Each structure stands twice: as structure tokens, then as C-alpha cells.
Amino acid sequence: MATLTSIITLQRLAATFAAPLIPALDVLFWLLLALPTTALATESTAEQDPLNSFMWPVYRERFLGDAPVVFDERVTVSAPGFAEDSGQVPIALDASALEASGEPITDIIAWVDLNPIPRLFHYSPMSHGIAKLSLNIRLEQASAVRVAVKQGDTWHVGGTYIEAEGGGCTTPGIASADTDWETTFGELQGRLFANEDEQRLRVRLSHPMDSGLIPSQPAFYVQSFELLDQQGEQVAALDIDASVSANPTLGLHMRPSPGGYVIGARDNNGNRFSIGLQP
């Protein structure tokens, strides 16, 4: 059993050896404390969600993975502040200012944070597509709407917030409300507007775009569009989901093609549709 004298001696020895280390340990402690704080501050500044949505981290990981992300004012999303018809909400993407930097844009992904089917589309501009497009979407409730544009290894993200009464994804579509929808089903209409710099394509496909979220109503929606040049080569592709409105109407901006374009579409039941548009 240690005596009182030996205990005091050990305490004095410990104090003697530890005393020179205390200032260094203090400095090391504050450095370690400061470093992660600085790193976190840098990361939060780079990816601080301007729309303050709690779903941002979820869909950032799901759709964009671990690639670098920047909120970029050059990616604009235009939409009404309030959706009077939650089943037909027009939105327009314009990332042409980002594209003007010269580096190609390879992918564009759009989603609605609070929709039961969040993803709207995945657009591959490929050789002829320009980073500008428009379409109508469904909103289940007021939500942030995002567009992410990939340039190089980085996703550039823009977005907007739309107020809505809701129900756009879970109310019956035209297949239930319109008894004559089958007579126009599959009609693909379009026009091509040309100028020196680009050709703007406006396309409308008659289709119910049933989401499958309504009981006893199976999913029945258009899955993809493709654009071919006059040689039959695919020059752009657009995959869409059931959060796009019934009778999808697309506005696409393309680089000039002297012979125009052929637009093809396919739904989840294997139906195919196509139309040719000339200048």
C-alpha cells in the first residue's frame, strides 16, 4: 500500500514532466478545434441550399452522387409563384449562360423536392441540344423545384419555389376525366421555329401520363423522347417521369440542322410515336 509521502512524490514528478507540455497541448487543442470548423464552414458555404429544403441532402446524394456541386445563378428556372392548376405547371430551364463558357454540358436533371415521384427528367443534350427547355409538370404540394446541369465534373444547380394547393400527382388524369381521350391518344404535333443561331422545337403528345399513384389506375406514361438528325443519328435524348403533366408539351432548343429533326417517343407500355419537323 502506497504511503502518503510516495503519493505526494509521484504527483510532484507528474507535475514536473507535464508542465512544459501544457502550452503545447493547449495550442494543439485549439488547432484541432479550429480545423474541422473551417472545413465545415467551407463546405456549408459551397452547398448551402438557398431554398432551405430539408430534402436537399437526400436528392443531392440520389441524383448527383458525390460529385462537386455549386449553386449557380447562371442556371435559371422560371415558373409561376403560385400554381393555379397543380396538374399543369409550366417551368422553363435556361442554362445558356453557363454553356457560353465553352465547356460542353453533358447532363441535365430536374426534380421536385416534395413530389411522390420526385424526378422530372434527365436530358442529354449530346451533339445538338442547347441547355434550354420547357415543359409542364405536376405538383403534389408547394415545393422547391431543382435543375442540376453537369459541366465537366461539377453539377451547377438552380431552382425556384412554387406555392400550390396540391394534389397534382394523385388526382385522376384525363383518362378518367375525359371519355374521348382514346380518340386522340398518341397524336404527336409539333412545329420548328428557326433562326441563324438555333432551331426551337415545340412538341405536344396526347397521352394520359397516369402516375400509378391512384388506386385501380396502373402507371401509363411516356418514358423517353429522342431527337434524330436527317441522317437518322441520335443527337439528343430526354427521359421523363410521371411527374410530367398529361399531354406532355416540350419546348426544345437545338443547334441548326438543315434537314430538321425527327422526334420519337416511347411509353412504358411499349407504344412508339414519331414526327418529322423541317425548317
Side-chain angles (χ1 to χ4, degrees):
M1 184 172 180
T3 64
L4 179 61
T5 303
S6 62
I7 292 173
I8 293 172
T9 302
L10 287 172
Q11 288 177 335
R12 287 175 177 173
L13 285 171
T16 300
F17 285 107
L21 296 175
I22 290 175
L25 289 173
D26 284 343
V27 172
L28 180 62
F29 170 78
W30 289 109
L31 283 174
L32 291 174
L33 187 64
L35 282 174
T37 304
T38 304
L40 288 173
T42 304
E43 181 179 353
S44 64
T45 301
E47 292 196 20
Q48 185 175 358
D49 178 17
L51 298 177
N52 295 318
S53 171
F54 66 93
M55 292 301 294
W56 162 249
V58 176
Y59 294 134
R60 187 254 191 266
E61 181 179 0
R62 179 185 299 184
F63 296 132
L64 311 182
D66 57 2
V69 171
V70 176
F71 289 101
D72 197 324
E73 293 181 352
R74 292 173 295 177
V75 179
T76 64
V77 182
S78 302
F82 180 83
E84 296 183 1
D85 181 353
S86 295
Q88 292 282 347
V89 184
I91 67 166
L93 151 74
D94 187 348
S96 55
L98 177 65
E99 196 169 28
S101 65
E103 188 173 2
I105 288 173
T106 56
D107 299 274
I108 301 175
I109 298 175
W111 70 90
V112 179
D113 279 10
L114 300 182
N115 266 9
I117 302 174
R119 198 185 77 154
L120 296 171
F121 63 80
H122 182 177
Y123 182 43
S124 301
M126 300 174 67
S127 61
H128 281 53
I130 296 174
K132 295 170 65 177
L133 63 90
S134 61
L135 75 170
N136 284 15
I137 67 170
R138 293 167 163 153
L139 283 181
E140 184 60 20
Q141 57 183 299
S143 177
V145 178
R146 316 271 189 178
V147 173
V149 179
K150 192 172 188 182
Q151 190 178 54
D153 296 327
T154 301
W155 288 100
H156 300 258
V157 179
T160 190
Y161 189 87
I162 306 176
E163 295 283 354
E165 292 184 357
C169 299
T170 53
T171 52
I174 61 171
S176 299
D178 186 357
T179 57
D180 295 329
W181 73 272
E182 291 182 349
T183 61
T184 59
F185 171 76
E187 288 186 359
L188 188 54
Q189 303 170 321
R191 291 189 64 184
L192 187 153
F193 305 89
N195 60 40
E196 293 182 359
D197 300 322
E198 65 179 46
Q199 293 176 341
R200 183 168 61 89
L201 282 58
R202 185 77 172 171
V203 182
R204 181 183 185 274
L205 173 59
S206 295
H207 200 288
M209 294 294 290
D210 293 325
S211 65
L213 299 175
I214 300 172
S216 74
Q217 190 178 89
F220 182 40
Y221 62 94
V222 178
Q223 290 182 310
S224 64
F225 290 85
E226 65 173 356
L227 289 93
L228 311 177
D229 64 12
Q230 63 269 33
Q231 282 81 38
E233 296 292 327
Q234 188 183 60
V235 294
L238 176 69
D239 294 333
I240 67 174
D241 281 286
S243 281
V244 172
S245 301
N247 298 326
T249 302
L250 308 177
L252 300 169
H253 295 252
M254 307 293 294
R255 292 178 174 84
S257 173
Y261 292 95
V262 173
I263 301 175
R266 178 178 55 84
D267 68 19
N268 66 323
N269 279 11
N271 297 306
R272 293 182 177 273
F273 322 93
S274 66
I275 187 174
L277 300 177
Q278 287 77 37

